């Protein structure tokens, strides 16, 4: 059985991806930071559908914890699935912050950097020996890297860095046939950044060619596809999943 890791899998796009991958027959290891109840609810949903999943705590900003996390992953892979390698990983965990450049503090800047760029870099580095040859990496970026949006400059800058890092991962891991792609969501109905009120949702829908904001499953389906063999020739790409946002 193929087993994948999804960071930030307790809600939103991560939870959707976990459920959709399980429906495709993949085993799922999902992480949460501070909401074990939400993560367990996702696990139970997957189990109710006949799939197999487990939730582990991980703070992607805490690089010093990654070695211990890798050891835990090894134990879980063997005890739950009887395998020794991951077949894919999704760097999804994140949070939003809306502040104009003039008011962003160093602490806010560093917090976003640690979660959205430093964390994915060093978590992937740490778990690389556990990735099977031919595995798939998917990094979650953002349409704000293409469309400048007031108030999200640090977030968008680090997501832009993750897009560049994705191409370097594809280049450097290619000898092992490990693919790396980025998925760039537009406006999605999640809790990120406090969610969407009716007025903001209407504004975003009006700026989207298909006339609505996205749902987590809209993005989760693309991620699940990139993790599967049917996308074996897609590599080093950033795929915007936004319904035609600001075209």
């Amino acid at each position: 059985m193929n087993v994948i890791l999804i960071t930030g899998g307790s809600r939103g796009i991560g939870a959707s991806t976990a459920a959709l991958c399980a429906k495709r027959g993949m085993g799922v290891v999902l992480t949460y930071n501070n909401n074990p109840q939400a993560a367990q609810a996702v696990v139970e949903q997957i189990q109710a559908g006949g799939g197999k999943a487990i939730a582990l705590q991980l703070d992607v900003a805490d690089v010093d914890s990654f070695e211990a996390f890798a050891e835990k992953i090894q134990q879980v892979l063997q005890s739950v699935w009887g395998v020794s390698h991951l077949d894919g990983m999704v760097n999804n965990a994140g949070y939003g912050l809306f502040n104009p450049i003039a008011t962003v503090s160093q602490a806010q800047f560093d917090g976003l950097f640690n979660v959205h760029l430093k964390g994915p870099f060093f978590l992937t580095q740490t778990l690389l020996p556990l990735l099977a040859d031919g595995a798939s990496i998917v990094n979650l970026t953002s349409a704000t890297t293409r469309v400048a949006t007031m108030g999200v400059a640090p977030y968008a800058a680090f997501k832009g860095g993750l897009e560049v890092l994705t191409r370097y991962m594809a280049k450097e891991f290619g000898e092992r046939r490990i693919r790396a792609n980025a998925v760039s969501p537009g406006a999605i109905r999640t809790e990120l950044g406090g969610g969407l009120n009716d007025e903001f949702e209407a504004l975003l829908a009006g700026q989207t060619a298909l006339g609505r904001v996205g749902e987590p499953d809209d993005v989760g389906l693309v991620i699940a596809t990139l993790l599967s063999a049917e996308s074996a020739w897609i590599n080093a790409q950033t795929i915007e999943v936004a319904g035609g946002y600001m075209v």
Side-chain angles (χ1 to χ4, degrees), residues 18-122:
L20 290 165
C21 286
K23 287 182 179 179
R24 289 174 174 247
M26 302 177 196
V28 177
V29 180
L30 60 95
T31 76
Y32 64 93
N33 186 11
N34 53 21
N35 194 340
Q37 294 82 10
Q40 187 57 34
V42 177
V43 169
E44 292 173 359
Q45 175 192 356
I46 289 171
Q47 291 173 337
K52 188 175 290 187
I54 191 167
L56 299 176
Q57 197 280 331
L58 176 68
D59 179 358
V60 297
D62 184 5
V63 173
D64 291 338
S65 72
F66 290 174
E67 288 293 344
F69 178 74
E71 293 176 4
K72 184 64 175 178
I73 288 284
Q74 283 183 294
Q75 295 169 8
V76 165
L77 288 173
Q78 189 60 52
S79 63
V80 177
W81 287 281
V83 300
S84 58
H85 289 91
L86 288 164
D87 297 284
M89 67 179 294
V90 182
N91 287 304
N92 166 73
Y95 68 97
L97 177 70
F98 294 91
N99 263 358
I101 292 172
T103 65
V104 174
S105 69
Q106 288 189 48
Q108 291 169 332
F109 184 98
D110 290 345
L112 288 164
F113 171 73
N114 289 338
V115 168
H116 294 286
L117 187 55
K118 183 179 179 180
F121 183 103
F122 285 104

Side-chain angles (χ1 to χ4, degrees), residues 108-168:
Q108 291 169 332
F109 184 98
D110 290 345
L112 288 164
F113 171 73
N114 289 338
V115 168
H116 294 286
L117 187 55
K118 183 179 179 180
F121 183 103
F122 285 104
L123 183 62
T124 304
Q125 180 194 76
T126 302
L127 296 182
L128 190 58
L130 291 179
L131 286 176
D133 290 354
S136 175
I137 298 169
V138 180
N139 296 319
L140 267 291
T141 61
S142 170
T144 59
T145 64
R146 179 179 63 83
V147 180
T149 304
M150 288 286 292
V152 297
Y155 172 87
F158 302 138
K159 289 297 193 181
L162 188 57
E163 286 189 3
V164 174
L165 178 60
T166 299
R167 295 194 292 275
Y168 275 82

